[in-house]
Amino acid sequence: MIARLWHGWTSLENADIYENLLKTEIFPGIAARGVAGYRGIRLLRFEGDQEVEFLTMMEFDSLDAVKQFAGEEYERAYVPPKAREVLARFDERSRHYEIREHLAY
């Protein structure tokens, strides 16, 4: 399994707008693409004093599945235009990690 991690930051004022965009448009759009080997996405949020950081972690069966989702330049971040409008800054590239262990307690 592969985890695709990406960070984006936005203002305190835009944080709820961005989160709503993710939940109502971007995440459902990703799922609707029907990429074989896509296993889902997690959204993490950290509120700082000046800005809000978001971390997404997508899970895929393999690097080939990641490439089906993102193309041959699979490290390039997928940031739709509507997201770019409310993000202050974001990772231009996603990081990919091999999931070595997944335990449920």
Side-chain angles (χ1 to χ4, degrees):
M1 291 272 298
I2 301 294
R4 176 182 171 98
L5 277 69
W6 174 89
H7 294 89
W9 294 263
T10 190
S11 65
L12 297 171
E13 298 79 25
N14 284 336
D16 289 340
I17 295 167
Y18 179 63
E19 184 171 343
N20 185 59
L21 177 65
L22 288 170
K23 291 178 177 178
T24 62
E25 291 185 38
I26 296 173
F27 292 170
I30 290 169
R33 291 173 59 182
V35 174
Y38 169 66
R39 298 292 171 212
I41 191 165
R42 294 174 189 244
L43 175 64
L44 290 79
R45 177 174 168 156
F46 175 79
E47 292 206 22
D49 293 334
Q50 304 293 318
E51 64 184 356
V52 178
E53 176 186 358
F54 288 91
L55 170 65
T56 60
M57 184 176 81
M58 302 175 77
E59 292 186 11
F60 294 89
D61 286 343
S62 66
L63 200 52
D64 286 337
V66 173
K67 289 177 182 178
Q68 267 191 349
F69 166 73
E72 285 302 312
E73 291 186 54
Y74 66 92
E75 290 180 333
R76 187 175 57 216
Y78 171 71
V79 186
K82 283 186 178 180
R84 291 173 186 264
E85 291 176 12
V86 293
L87 288 169
R89 58 192 171 92
F90 54 86
D91 292 343
E92 294 288 338
R93 305 191 77 67
S94 296
R95 301 277 313 253
H96 297 84
Y97 297 84
E98 182 180 345
I99 299 174
R100 304 294 296 218
E101 187 73 38
H102 184 269
L103 301 173
Y105 296 98

